[in-house]
Amino acid sequence: MGRKNDKISNAVIKRLPRYRRYLIELDRKGVEKISSKELSELIGYTASQIRQDFNNFGGFGQQGYGYSVKGLYDEISAILGLDKAYKMVMLGAGNLGQAITKYLASHKEGFQLSAIFEVSPELIGTELEGLTIRDYDDIVDYIEQEGIDIGIICVGSSNAQAAADKLCFAGVRGIWNFSTVEIEVPVHVAVENVQLTDSLHTLAYHMNDYSKQEAAAKESAAKKEVIEGRGKSKKK
Amino acid sequence: MGRKNDKISNAVIKRLPRYRRYLIELDRKGVEKISSKELSELIGYTASQIRQDFNNFGGFGQQGYGYSVKGLYDEISAILGLDKAYKMVMLGAGNLGQAITKYLASHKEGFQLSAIFEVSPELIGTELEGLTIRDYDDIVDYIEQEGIDIGIICVGSSNAQAAADKLCFAGVRGIWNFSTVEIEVPVHVAVENVQLTDSLHTLAYHMNDYSKQEAAAKESAAKKEVIEGRGKSKKK
């Protein structure tokens, strides 16, 4: 089952981990076959959207017979590259670096944090989640020797580009960037940005937007009452 | 300067925090005025896209004169609702809850974590980033009494919907959801999902995609060499 198209849109790729999560749950519940219609009811995308998404990668199933849950899960995992293992290093052991290290400690599944690097002398040599924090100066040698795949940037904004340059020089293939800086990398290095603050700000926007909508709805209901009230009094 | 349209697309809203980050940096560097063209060179969106985005909210500036960096920053902050303060509670003090609490400790700016709630008796009563971890059973009273705006869900997937129901019942206006479950809430409650694992999986996809592209490019270069080599030998 090969790929139909070489270039798959980012929107489709972003949906794949979500499909995969639903398939894990279905498999856990003992569901073996699922139609695009049933999947649509669960996940909220239209059945046609789902079929179109899966067609990007060569189909996965026969129309009318439903998809094999386990088969679909395995295929999506393989497409995402989750049938492989990845070795990662963390750059920065401040609050953010500590937070992400803690997070990774409980969400390993194929992604192994091998080492943490830091510049502050007071942190170097201390332990975090079973890993000794190492001197930032040794990072290039470590990455080369250990064949590290991914670098996680949790340093301050002003040092983020320098950290990315170092990672790329040392030969990582991917960067998981938690800094607020948009880093520049060679074309063969993949970057995924996580902007937690942006997400919080988007939430604030929607909260205010909903309040405004609510206020507007109340206002409009009040107006309607006044107008209807007037109408009634005229009718009398 | 009011809003032109009531309904602004999610794509535009998602870009606003990013504009804001660039404007902070420009302000720090002492830049007072900026044109959409200059902003375009910095941020990577087209100048026309930038003008269109800003027009959604009523413009912000006069064409040809450039935008006031400070003015634009203040306006975007106000649109995002960042001119207000938000009180938050954390649900779950496991690895993920601890991680996000640590993160928030260094990224406050208008978002104040007031309390942490947990079910495990061994965690209740202990301290995390200066906050005492409270009994999950007391959460509804606390939210009502303290006027909490946002609940942060860092509980396991199987408890996420129950946590969301509790938060909505208690009266929060927004939920920052770190669980892998897509929660259902009343229409007046805003939800922002952060799927860290999805982000890591997307990175894995792109890493493999780039390697494939590279392999394909090498293959195609090798083929070209063979074909050109043949051509040359024919010419001899």
Side-chain angles (χ1 to χ4, degrees):
Chain A
M1 217 181 286
R3 292 228 203 129
K4 265 188 164 174
N5 307 313
D6 279 337
K7 190 69 199 158
I8 297 142
S9 82
N10 266 326
V12 178
I13 295 153
K14 287 221 176 281
R15 282 195 287 274
L16 292 183
R18 196 159 168 243
Y19 284 125
R20 191 171 169 273
R21 277 189 278 120
Y22 276 89
L23 291 165
I24 295 174
E25 290 309 320
L26 286 166
D27 187 48
R28 268 189 203 146
K29 284 184 182 165
V31 180
E32 289 179 7
K33 287 263 176 191
I34 191 152
S35 68
S36 52
K37 194 166 163 282
E38 290 165 324
L39 202 50
S40 160
E41 278 157 16
L42 270 179
I43 204 164
Y45 309 143
T46 65
S48 127
Q49 164 90 82
I50 291 170
R51 285 193 299 270
Q52 211 175 312
D53 281 354
F54 294 171
N55 270 331
N56 267 297
F57 301 101
F60 297 120
Q62 263 183 293
Q63 212 166 341
Y65 292 87
Y67 300 100
S68 146
V69 169
K70 185 72 178 62
L72 202 46
Y73 172 81
D74 287 342
E75 286 282 350
I76 292 181
S77 299
I79 287 165
L80 288 171
L82 301 180
D83 48 350
K84 296 169 198 148
Y86 298 89
K87 290 169 93 174
M88 312 193 289
V89 290
M90 168 73 67
L91 278 69
N95 268 342
L96 186 56
Q98 289 176 31
I100 304 305
T101 300
K102 261 195 178 298
Y103 172 76
L104 288 169
S106 54
H107 292 73
K108 275 171 189 160
E109 206 203 343
F111 294 85
Q112 177 70 48
L113 186 61
S114 302
I116 303 162
F117 292 90
E118 172 59 52
V119 286
S120 316
E122 58 268 38
L123 286 172
I124 296 169
T126 62
E127 285 233 338
L128 190 57
E129 297 293 326
L131 295 170
T132 307
I133 297 172
R134 292 161 187 259
D135 189 333
Y136 188 65
D137 283 344
D138 302 331
I139 195 166
V140 172
D141 285 345
Y142 184 89
I143 289 173
E144 286 175 352
Q145 279 158 21
E146 300 294 322
I148 298 298
D149 306 288
I150 296 172
I152 308 171
I153 296 184
C154 287
V155 301
S157 315
S158 48
N159 301 314
Q161 185 58 54
D165 292 342
K166 210 156 210 171
L167 286 168
C168 294
F169 178 79
V172 301
R173 296 184 299 128
I175 294 180
W176 206 23
N177 178 30
F178 283 82
S179 83
T180 55
V181 167
E182 263 131 290
I183 53 170
E184 287 173 26
V185 297
V187 70
H188 65 274
V189 176
V191 177
E192 181 71 14
N193 298 302
V194 183
Q195 304 285 10
L196 288 177
T197 310
D198 283 13
S199 163
L200 202 49
H201 291 177
T202 307
L203 177 62
Y205 172 82
H206 286 298
M207 285 169 65
N208 287 287
D209 200 36
Y210 284 123
S211 348
K212 276 168 198 157
Q213 279 172 16
E214 207 176 22
K218 270 185 194 159
E219 213 180 331
S220 130
K223 267 187 195 167
K224 210 180 154 198
E225 210 167 47
V226 170
I227 292 164
E228 282 178 352
R230 277 185 197 158
K232 275 176 194 164
S233 63
K234 271 185 189 171
K235 272 181 191 165
K236 270 181 194 172
Chain B
M1 218 180 285
R3 293 227 202 133
K4 266 188 165 175
N5 308 313
D6 279 336
K7 189 68 198 159
I8 297 143
S9 83
N10 266 326
V12 178
I13 294 154
K14 287 223 175 280
R15 283 195 287 274
L16 292 182
R18 194 157 171 244
Y19 284 125
R20 191 171 168 271
R21 277 189 278 120
Y22 276 89
L23 292 164
I24 296 173
E25 290 307 319
L26 286 166
D27 188 48
R28 268 189 203 146
K29 284 186 181 164
V31 179
E32 289 180 7
K33 286 263 176 192
I34 191 151
S35 68
S36 52
K37 194 165 163 284
E38 290 164 324
L39 202 51
S40 160
E41 280 158 15
L42 271 179
I43 205 165
Y45 309 142
T46 65
S48 127
Q49 164 89 83
I50 291 171
R51 285 194 298 271
Q52 211 176 310
D53 281 354
F54 294 170
N55 271 333
N56 266 299
F57 300 102
F60 296 121
Q62 263 184 292
Q63 211 168 343
Y65 292 88
Y67 300 101
S68 146
V69 168
K70 186 73 177 63
L72 201 48
Y73 172 81
D74 288 342
E75 285 283 350
I76 291 181
S77 299
I79 287 164
L80 288 170
L82 302 179
D83 48 349
K84 297 169 197 147
Y86 298 89
K87 288 169 95 174
M88 310 193 289
V89 291
M90 169 73 67
L91 277 68
N95 268 341
L96 186 58
Q98 288 175 32
I100 305 305
T101 301
K102 259 195 179 297
Y103 172 76
L104 289 168
S106 54
H107 292 75
K108 276 173 189 158
E109 206 203 343
F111 295 85
Q112 178 70 48
L113 185 63
S114 301
I116 304 162
F117 293 89
E118 173 58 51
V119 285
S120 314
E122 58 268 38
L123 286 172
I124 297 168
T126 62
E127 286 233 337
L128 189 57
E129 297 292 325
L131 295 170
T132 306
I133 297 172
R134 292 161 187 259
D135 190 333
Y136 187 65
D137 283 344
D138 302 333
I139 194 165
V140 172
D141 287 344
Y142 184 89
I143 289 173
E144 286 175 353
Q145 280 159 22
E146 300 293 323
I148 299 297
D149 306 287
I150 297 171
I152 308 171
I153 297 184
C154 288
V155 301
S157 317
S158 49
N159 300 314
Q161 185 59 53
D165 292 343
K166 208 155 211 175
L167 285 168
C168 294
F169 177 79
V172 302
R173 295 184 298 127
I175 294 180
W176 206 23
N177 177 30
F178 283 82
S179 83
T180 54
V181 167
E182 264 132 286
I183 53 171
E184 285 173 28
V185 297
V187 69
H188 65 275
V189 176
V191 177
E192 181 73 13
N193 298 302
V194 182
Q195 305 285 10
L196 288 179
T197 310
D198 283 13
S199 162
L200 201 49
H201 291 178
T202 307
L203 177 62
Y205 172 83
H206 285 297
M207 284 169 64
N208 289 287
D209 200 36
Y210 283 124
S211 348
K212 277 169 197 154
Q213 278 171 16
E214 208 175 21
K218 270 185 194 159
E219 212 181 333
S220 128
K223 269 188 194 165
K224 209 181 155 197
E225 212 167 45
V226 170
I227 292 164
E228 281 177 353
R230 278 185 196 156
K232 274 176 194 163
S233 63
K234 273 184 189 169
K235 273 179 192 166
K236 268 180 192 170

